[in-house]
Amino acid sequence: MLRLSWSTFRERWQLFLGAILTVCLGVALVQSSLLILISAAGSGLVEAITLLGITLAVSTFLAVFIVSSTFAFTVAQRRRDLALLRLVGAGRKQVRRLLLSEALLLGVLGTAVGVPLGVVVMRLQTSMLTSLGFAPADFVPAWQNWILGVSAGVGIGVALAGVLAASRRAGKVRPLDALRDTGEGARVMTGARWFFGLLFLAGTIALVTVSSFTGPEAAIPLTINAALTASVALSALSPLVVPLVGGLLGLLLRGTTVGSLAQANLRDGVRRSASTAAPLLVLVALLVGQSGVLASINAAAELEQRRDLVGELVVTTEGPAARELGSVPGVAVAAERLRVPMDVTTRTDYDGDVDTQTDEYVATVVDPGTYAQTNRRAPELSGLRGETLAVAPGLFPAEAEIEVGVGGRTVPLRVVAELPESMGGGDQLLLPRGIVPEATAGAATAETIVRVRPGADVAAVAAEIRALGLGEVSTLDDWIAASASRQQDTSTGIMTVVLGLAGFYALIAVVNAVVIAAAERRREFAVARVSGLSRGQVVRMALVESWAVTVVGLLLGGLAAAGTLAGIGAATARVTGEASIVVPWDLLGITVVGALLVVGATNVWTTLAATRSRPVALVGAGE
């Protein structure tokens, strides 16, 4: 079987080249993310570990999804060839073994190229992490020899798994049905498509619903998973949408030869159109959906700060300055918030099994009285004295013993208050002033919210603070806006790390699907030209058809992204009282225009290549 598979590959290498490419890139992404994740864990880079964990999950999903859809498309394009094998005596099991042998061969080739490519991808990802500040400049991931086994398992395993379902379906189709495109061979919406489409659609609805009743910490991963499940669901159900778009295309281009033919091709080539739209669907769902989720959370955090904080000015200093600011004429309240990094260790007893965990936090050291005067949602903090702290809900287990390491000493603390739930604009840990040694406090950054006395001139108070050299002064509105801008920059960095290379992989998969679709249409184009169409008309027909398929992918991807935004919008409404849904219109516009240009250019190039030969020679050639 391997010899026959190799012969098939040499004869139809254009069809298999895309499958090898998808396996290769999938192996490279997964290998790179895993190696960097292991090195980051050994170096204690908490933020990098979190990002790379998400990146690894997204990369694995994309590898499985894209490779599976590519192999299924490739098998579907060859159903007539497989039917001929059945007619000359090949049994169902032999057809399945042939396809699995081809998948094994392509998986080995893809892995062989993907392993060295993964080293290049690892350098790119590492450069992203260091340039965006998620890892130190001297961070270098270590090579692990065992990764070769993992990469081989990913490449070969995903290739075999991707072709398994398609091979079983190909073996069940009766040969004459496949040759005539009737019966089981022509049915696109199979039982498996209905089952998995509805199953993942129900899972998406469940994830979006649950995310609307959870806090931001849980809502983010839930919405990410919702984008992935929605992609699978809508990809499986996409053949239902293709004819609708084809009908709309027919209405728009009514009376034109090119439009009528493009509509007919969409109606007859539903499987081809759905397979081409699948990677584009995932690309839009991930890019637009996750960008919108992060932007919505940032908007909710900014809204939360504007609603909760009370004051006119914010003074930023190095070290405490509340006493000096309180003596400035016109200042009524100077509520200092000292940002101090510290190690927090929790010990939780689970029926005799003690779990110990140490993490780095930036705690806020405050005076309970002035803090309450500048925060509308401040809890009762009269007990925040001595060795105590207030924590955000769900930050630590309820029965955990907590101690902090600060200023070279370790202090056990007792929780005396719970802070209100926050979308990211509030504090996680509040500590009283006496916990932090003077030397540590003097080196920390202090942000003091100033409330001026009734009738006092805010500009005059700000000028007096500047004249005394007490710190950098800004209005509260400007300070909140600057904080939101910094958070947006961080979110952009997160998106770059998580979806930068993964989005590029999905884009290549889109191009690959267009190339595979056009490679098998040479005889179809030749028949159209023999029937009276010029070469230019054939190219325009294929271009219109490809743009219609692009619209299908964009619409379904946008629907998946809308579901994730609805979930995070409900979560923000529960916390802040107002739904914050931010649609990244700039990114959406770039994605739409870019998809139309890339798909259109690829389609024109492949169609020109497919119509280069004389049509009579192709029409007369045997299939």
Side-chain angles (χ1 to χ4, degrees), residues 70-93:
T70 300
F71 272 77
F73 185 27
T74 302
V75 172
Q77 292 287 84
R78 298 172 54 208
R79 61 187 182 277
R80 296 173 66 86
D81 294 348
L82 299 176
L84 288 174
L85 285 177
R86 295 286 307 283
L87 285 176
V88 297
R92 292 181 177 179
K93 292 183 178 180

Side-chain angles (χ1 to χ4, degrees), residues 382-441:
S382 59
L384 192 65
R385 302 178 185 278
E387 297 178 348
T388 60
L389 80 162
V391 299
L395 188 62
F396 304 127
E399 303 300 325
E401 297 178 0
I402 303 172
E403 62 181 25
V404 299
V406 57
R409 65 193 186 105
T410 301
V411 183
L413 300 179
R414 176 172 53 90
V415 177
V416 295
E418 185 177 88
L419 299 172
E421 194 172 26
S422 170
M423 288 303 301
D427 300 299
Q428 286 188 307
L429 295 174
L430 287 188
L431 277 71
R433 180 68 180 85
I435 294 293
V436 181
E438 292 297 330
T440 303

Side-chain angles (χ1 to χ4, degrees), residues 54-121:
I54 300 174
T55 305
L56 180 60
V58 172
S59 299
T60 303
F61 167 79
L62 281 175
V64 173
F65 181 88
I66 291 176
V67 171
S68 298
S69 61
T70 300
F71 272 77
F73 185 27
T74 302
V75 172
Q77 292 287 84
R78 298 172 54 208
R79 61 187 182 277
R80 296 173 66 86
D81 294 348
L82 299 176
L84 288 174
L85 285 177
R86 295 286 307 283
L87 285 176
V88 297
R92 292 181 177 179
K93 292 183 178 180
Q94 289 176 307
V95 170
R96 290 181 59 187
R97 284 200 299 271
L98 172 65
L99 293 175
L100 289 173
S101 297
E102 291 175 358
L104 176 63
L105 181 61
L106 298 181
V108 170
L109 291 174
T111 301
V113 180
V115 169
L117 180 62
V119 177
V120 178
V121 173

